[in-house]
Amino acid sequence: MSDEITLISEEDDVDISSKIQKNYIKRNAKPAWYLGTGFLLFWALLFFAVVLPFFYRMPTSLTIEDDHKGEFIGDRAYNTLNNLVNIGPRTVGSNANEVEAVLFLINELAAIRKVLLQDYFTMEVDIQRASGALRYTHMLNMYQGVRNIIVKLTPKSSTSESYLLVNSHYDTVATSPGAGDDGFMVATMLEVLRVMATTPQSFEHPVVFLFNGAEETAFQASHGFITQHKWAPNCKAVVNLDAAGSGGRDILFQSGPSNPWLVDYYKKHAKHPFATSLGEEIFQSGVIPSDTDFTAFVEHGKIPGLDIAQIINGYIYHTKYDRIDVIPRSSIQSTGDNVLSLVRGLANATELHNPQAYEQGHAVFFDFLGLFLISYSEDTGIILNNCVAVVGLVLVFVSLWRMSSISSLTLTQVLQRVLIQLILQIIALALGLALPLLIAYVFDSFGLSLTYFSSLSLLIGLYVCPALIGLSLPITIYYQWKKDDKLSFPYGLQLALHIWAILLSMLAIGLTAYGLRSAYIFTILNGFYAVSLALNLLTTLHDRDYNWTGLVMACQVIPFLYCTYRTYLLLVVVIPMSGRLGSAINPDLAIAGVTALGTTFAWGFLIPLINIFRRPYLIVLSILTVTVITVILASSTDIGFPYRPRASSERVSFQHVRRVFYEYDGSIAKDESGYLISFQDRREAEPMKMRSIANARSIRPDCEKHMMCGVPLYDERWVDNRLGSVWLPREQPVQLPAKANLTLLSKQILESNTTARFEFKLEGPDHMSLFIQTYEDDFATLSNWSFDRTYLENPPAYPLSYHIYFTYGTDRSPLNFSLDISKPNGDFEVPLFQLGISGHYVETKRDALTEQFAASFPSYAALVDWPSSYDRYIF
């Protein structure tokens, strides 16, 4: 009797299972397709309602009435900044930088000294005038008499010989008032110093506040301090404060190296955390066209630290629009809160006595919506990434086994379907990346790059929607085509998510093995999906129609918020930078790539779920419609025009040049004047359609014919973008306030009779460059010189010549130097080398003709210009 009952029960189980499978594939039970568009809109609204408000959230600025609390007073710092900005542009060597700004800082420090708690602290002020040299990119960067204003605040109870260094710079680029870069941080430091000096809250280590006067000339002043100043050997860590934007939150984007304890202090003390080691890896890869004093401290001082910067609104960075009116008081309060608390914390750090003892590799760190910071060591990250990946893979296998045991398929048959889904997912990933890149390429081919530059919302239709189409199309077509399967449709949909989890696990393991700390992003995505999968497996939700989707969506909220938050950060930083990358690079490809990757990570577990709705192809068509409308708007209306006056300008730099070519016998081969114009983005002059530059020609032929193109290339950026520059002749000679004067002091044959020494004296403006190139066809070589020999032994690659970039601060004594030219046959009565001298008069006003030329540019152009000279000699 019992055997018969058992047999009936097994048959009943099979019948019930069959009914369940039939019920699963009832398409009419699915929600309507338009609810699927609502599903996508929900996640989009989540970004606008949560991510954006938190991204721009800042505290209310404190007023003078709050002064008694020992807190950072944003209003006072703001007023300090206003007074500094009123000085105007402060280029190295100018009166504004070397005199007015210095007097401003001395007066501010004197005011702080008056309210100093002398029972608690001593305050020492030192003014350094430094001279030296360092290699920077492909040039030798020399400086003479640049200034540093240095303050040491020491508790009277302190016996520590280890100092904390805090740095910012008060100089600016030409034409810029420098409110954001870096007056903002100067004012912040002054207020931090004031609060610490007037609050009876002691600390263990002395704090050195370095206000350096030459950062924009490739870290000259910071190099002078860290290699020459008496307090530099005692500085054990640095907090560097800089800017690539203005008016937002400050971000920690570099740490260490090899001192993760510094991030722990930031985590503990930063009141408004904003940080990511992803930014650190991107910045240090060299793809970002920028650098900070942090590099000088780490490379030349061998000290670890934290690099913190303003990054919002990079459109005005290094332009005349970098003014105080674009900076809200809440911004300086946010940064001040962070810096004050962080400096106090680090000034009490035990690790500061001997940072080398705490070197433990790099740190992994990231904030979540500015609410809190997560950080751990690189070793911990390796363990965590691999463990989460393995757990995810195990849970996926358990799910596959469960599907096999409940359905009428063997595990092998389930795995066959996994293989099909894997192929589909790889195709989807390829399409998700390829379609945005294709749009970027096509737009650039038609001269329509940077359409999103002023209208970031266009990114949704141009790149986000095509990425979603690519991600959803293969699986949607597959399920529409293959309507009947022994594996239920909900199970098949789960397979699509499992495949994405498998790919993420493989990426996490591979990139972790490669040493990429940013693999933590895959761990976040994997971890939250693993949680939802584990909960579904522990309940009956895994096997009950589409009920498992609720937990999946709930667990995807945090990863979605994080991925869109981090992607938005990258776009906010990189898009303004695309306006100063030069014309050789198509920035749309980079922006499309970043957007597509961010979309893929944020939507990877969500976009397959459109298939729980009826007619999912209509949802895909809805996304396509958004793309089509956006393409029309971007390509044929003013919405897609990249530039706006004041807000998002097209950057144009030009020099009014007088260039003279001297032959070997001293005769003049060429004496002409013109404008050397460098358009700094992809579109160059095309949007302007100006008659005044109709006769401009590319300098490419000059670059093939002359050393360094025969023009006064100002610095490494001008050198890098030289092939995109144009020359516009002008009939009226450029009148210079003075002339760079090169004097040959002597020429002597050394004892070996195969080497001739040339001694020179150079006098000129506060910014000059020397270009040196021998006639190697005649076997002449530059064997020695009076400059840094390490640069001589590792010259820049051809066709670049030796480039000596030279800056005066307060010491304007002539530059005396010697060059040793060796030649095997000892014949030194023939041309041996070329010497090019460029002089840059960055503070000189335009003449009438140049004013007329500058006025011909449209209102959206941000001009930076100055007179310059170039003299080519042959010796």
Side-chain angles (χ1 to χ4, degrees), residues 180-499:
D181 184 24
D182 193 26
F184 182 99
M185 292 302 189
V186 170
T188 298
M189 277 178 55
L190 285 169
E191 180 63 13
V192 167
L193 172 60
R194 188 201 63 79
V195 174
M196 294 183 69
T198 58
T199 304
Q201 181 177 335
S202 190
F203 40 90
E204 183 177 356
H205 307 289
V207 181
V208 174
F209 294 85
L210 170 60
F211 302 91
N212 88 67
E215 187 270 352
E216 299 296 357
T217 48
F219 330 131
Q220 293 173 343
S222 57
H223 178 267
F225 170 82
I226 203 64
T227 59
Q228 301 170 34
H229 196 267
K230 60 183 178 181
W231 293 334
N234 297 84
C235 294
K236 303 301 182 182
V238 61
V239 177
N240 186 61
L241 304 173
D242 210 331
S246 187
R249 295 156 62 201
D250 54 286
I251 185 170
L252 169 63
F253 66 101
Q254 286 194 98
S255 69
S258 303
N259 282 263
W261 61 271
L262 288 163
V263 177
D264 293 337
Y265 276 84
Y266 179 87
K267 176 181 179 180
K268 181 179 179 180
H269 294 283
K271 294 184 177 181
H272 316 289
F274 191 27
T276 173
S277 51
L278 170 63
E280 177 176 303
E281 290 185 319
I282 293 174
F283 191 84
Q284 293 179 356
S285 70
V287 300
I288 301 295
S290 190
D291 211 340
T292 72
D293 283 319
F294 186 77
T295 299
F297 296 127
V298 170
E299 292 185 358
H300 300 282
K302 308 301 180 185
I303 61 173
L306 300 173
D307 204 3
I308 299 171
Q310 284 277 314
I311 47 85
I312 306 299
N313 195 15
Y315 297 105
I316 64 170
Y317 169 74
H318 282 190
T319 73
K320 62 183 179 182
Y321 303 118
D322 186 7
R323 300 170 180 167
I324 194 169
D325 56 359
V326 300
I327 300 176
R329 293 174 186 265
S330 56
S331 177
I332 203 166
Q333 183 68 53
S334 178
T335 298
D337 287 345
N338 280 346
V339 174
L340 175 59
S341 183
L342 178 61
V343 169
R344 279 175 166 166
L346 289 172
N348 284 298
T350 303
E351 295 86 347
L352 208 62
H353 286 292
N354 184 16
Q356 290 79 12
Y358 297 91
E359 292 183 352
Q360 300 176 7
H362 297 283
V364 179
F365 56 92
F366 54 92
D367 74 291
F368 181 74
L369 299 179
L371 298 174
F372 56 85
L373 186 82
I374 296 174
S375 68
Y376 45 84
S377 68
E378 188 174 13
D379 291 339
T380 300
I382 292 172
I383 296 171
L384 186 62
N385 293 347
N386 287 310
C387 286
V388 171
V390 170
V391 169
L393 291 173
V394 169
L395 288 171
V396 167
F397 180 80
V398 172
S399 175
L400 298 179
W401 173 82
R402 182 109 155 231
M403 291 178 186
S404 173
S405 63
I406 291 180
S407 68
S408 58
L409 297 174
T410 65
L411 183 60
T412 301
Q413 290 173 315
V414 173
L415 291 175
Q416 288 174 348
R417 285 159 175 78
V418 168
L419 181 60
I420 294 173
Q421 293 271 19
L422 177 62
I423 295 172
L424 289 173
Q425 191 65 269
I426 292 174
I427 294 173
L429 281 174
L431 286 174
L433 294 175
L435 291 180
L437 292 174
L438 178 62
I439 290 176
Y441 176 80
V442 171
F443 264 65
D444 182 68
S445 299
F446 284 93
L448 295 173
S449 59
L450 297 172
T451 53
Y452 49 79
F453 192 67
S454 294
S455 304
L456 268 64
S457 57
L458 291 177
L459 295 173
I460 297 173
L462 290 177
Y463 303 140
V464 174
C465 288
L468 291 177
I469 292 170
L471 290 171
S472 61
L473 204 56
I475 190 172
T476 301
I477 293 174
Y478 174 75
Y479 282 132
Q480 291 299 305
W481 169 69
K482 193 174 180 61
K483 294 181 181 293
D484 297 315
D485 197 329
K486 293 181 180 180
L487 189 70
S488 71
F489 187 77
Y491 275 166
L493 199 55
Q494 281 196 69
L495 285 184
L497 274 60
H498 290 353
I499 296 303

Side-chain angles (χ1 to χ4, degrees), residues 72-247:
F72 186 94
I73 306 300
D75 276 12
R76 178 167 24 227
Y78 193 86
N79 293 336
T80 302
L81 173 59
N82 187 55
N83 293 333
L84 175 61
V85 170
N86 284 339
I87 296 174
R90 304 174 296 281
T91 55
V92 176
S94 69
N95 184 73
N97 193 67
E98 308 305 332
V99 178
E100 294 182 55
V102 171
L103 287 175
F104 167 82
L105 289 169
I106 291 174
N107 290 334
E108 289 292 321
L109 296 175
I112 294 173
R113 189 189 291 275
K114 287 181 180 180
V115 293
L116 174 73
L117 293 181
Q118 297 186 9
D119 292 339
Y120 289 85
F121 308 105
T122 61
M123 178 176 157
E124 301 173 68
V125 179
D126 188 48
I127 301 177
Q128 181 193 21
R129 200 168 71 162
S131 301
L134 69 153
R135 178 163 186 160
Y136 183 70
T137 63
H138 41 65
M139 68 184 190
L140 180 64
N141 184 11
M142 295 185 64
Y143 55 94
Q144 185 170 291
V146 299
R147 288 211 186 190
N148 285 314
I149 313 301
I150 313 158
V151 184
K152 184 173 72 167
L153 185 66
T154 306
K156 288 191 173 180
S157 60
S158 173
T159 59
S160 174
E161 294 297 322
S162 296
Y163 305 162
L164 173 67
L165 175 63
V166 186
N167 172 74
S168 65
H169 67 92
Y170 59 85
D171 67 310
T172 71
V173 296
T175 75
S176 175
D181 184 24
D182 193 26
F184 182 99
M185 292 302 189
V186 170
T188 298
M189 277 178 55
L190 285 169
E191 180 63 13
V192 167
L193 172 60
R194 188 201 63 79
V195 174
M196 294 183 69
T198 58
T199 304
Q201 181 177 335
S202 190
F203 40 90
E204 183 177 356
H205 307 289
V207 181
V208 174
F209 294 85
L210 170 60
F211 302 91
N212 88 67
E215 187 270 352
E216 299 296 357
T217 48
F219 330 131
Q220 293 173 343
S222 57
H223 178 267
F225 170 82
I226 203 64
T227 59
Q228 301 170 34
H229 196 267
K230 60 183 178 181
W231 293 334
N234 297 84
C235 294
K236 303 301 182 182
V238 61
V239 177
N240 186 61
L241 304 173
D242 210 331
S246 187

Side-chain angles (χ1 to χ4, degrees), residues 5-6 31 47 185 209 378 447 467 589 772 777 859:
I5 291 173
T6 302
F47 167 75
M185 292 302 189
F209 294 85
E378 188 174 13
L589 294 176
I772 307 167
D777 292 344
S859 60

Side-chain angles (χ1 to χ4, degrees), residues 520-536:
Y520 77 82
I521 296 174
F522 303 111
T523 298
I524 292 174
L525 298 172
N526 264 328
F528 280 90
Y529 181 69
V531 169
S532 65
L533 181 54
L535 292 174
N536 278 322

